[in-house]
Amino acid sequence: MIKVDKLVKRFADSVVLDGIDLEIQQGEIIVIIGPSGTGKSTLLRCLNFLEQPDGGQLTIGDLSVDVTRATRRQILEIRRHTAFVFQNYALFANKTALENIAEGLIVVNRWPVAKAHERARQILDRIGLKDKANAYPASLSGGQQQRVGIGRAMAAQAEVILFDEPTSSLDPEWVDEVLSLMKQLAEERQTMLVVTHEMSFARDVADRVVFMEGGRIVEQGPPSELFRAPKDPRTRDFLRKVL
Ligand code: ADP
Ligand code: MG
């Protein structure tokens, strides 16, 4: 469903993604782990063209592009297939929970406001925030704000949701409610690519865990194998520190 070949990204002189090959099947839950500064966020951002990659081939559905030659129209098409959940929620402070969820449908998908709001209400129900439709982000807890961030991604009905450390900014008390919403999506077989340090989530929910270091994929496999019997010494070393 999504495939990247030899994805490369440089910042100035440093190679941050050094030829990433990754394939994601429909309905697959992939968790990416690895030390910080390893290129995990950059990988997600390149998949969505939030960063312009410097090399590689990206295939999403029927569309296959040399990333250095992607047209504006192709980039918009790729963005329609992917939704992003940010570490810091990235909600509009001057919009209500309902409006935050409806915004993309109105602006990007050009839905009529009433239809977008109706869909946003259904989403608010699914994320357990029906009674917060008219609340502004500042009046919501961190956990509620991130659930709105996830709700916005759900509203887009993208094939894949990209999560970049969705619980890292949260006070510990809010982590579980966000993880359980993500588990709910996983049970519905929403295709997702999740960067996280929550190893228990990786172990319980992932179909495949990908360990990255230094801009490369070092090792990947089902959590039962990767956590129990990592093959590469770098994976072993990392897991020893985090488990
Ligand atoms: P991770 O998410 O694994 O912690 P990142 O993808 O954020 O890693 O960063 C990988 C490397 O790229 C780091 O060395 C970081 O400093 C660098 N980097 C990330 N974004 C930028 C940027 N916009 N400009 C310059 N360097 C960047
Ligand atoms: Mg990161």
Side-chain angles (χ1 to χ4, degrees), residues 175-187 201:
V175 169
D176 281 349
E177 65 185 56
V178 170
L179 291 179
S180 65
L181 175 56
M182 291 168 65
K183 276 182 197 167
Q184 184 186 315
L185 287 176
E187 278 159 19
F201 179 85

Side-chain angles (χ1 to χ4, degrees), residues 11 14 16 34-43 51 164-165 195:
F11 287 115
S14 71
V16 174
S36 63
T38 264
K40 304 182 299 295
S41 296
T42 304
L43 171 59
E51 296 284 357
D164 191 7
E165 298 203 28
V195 173

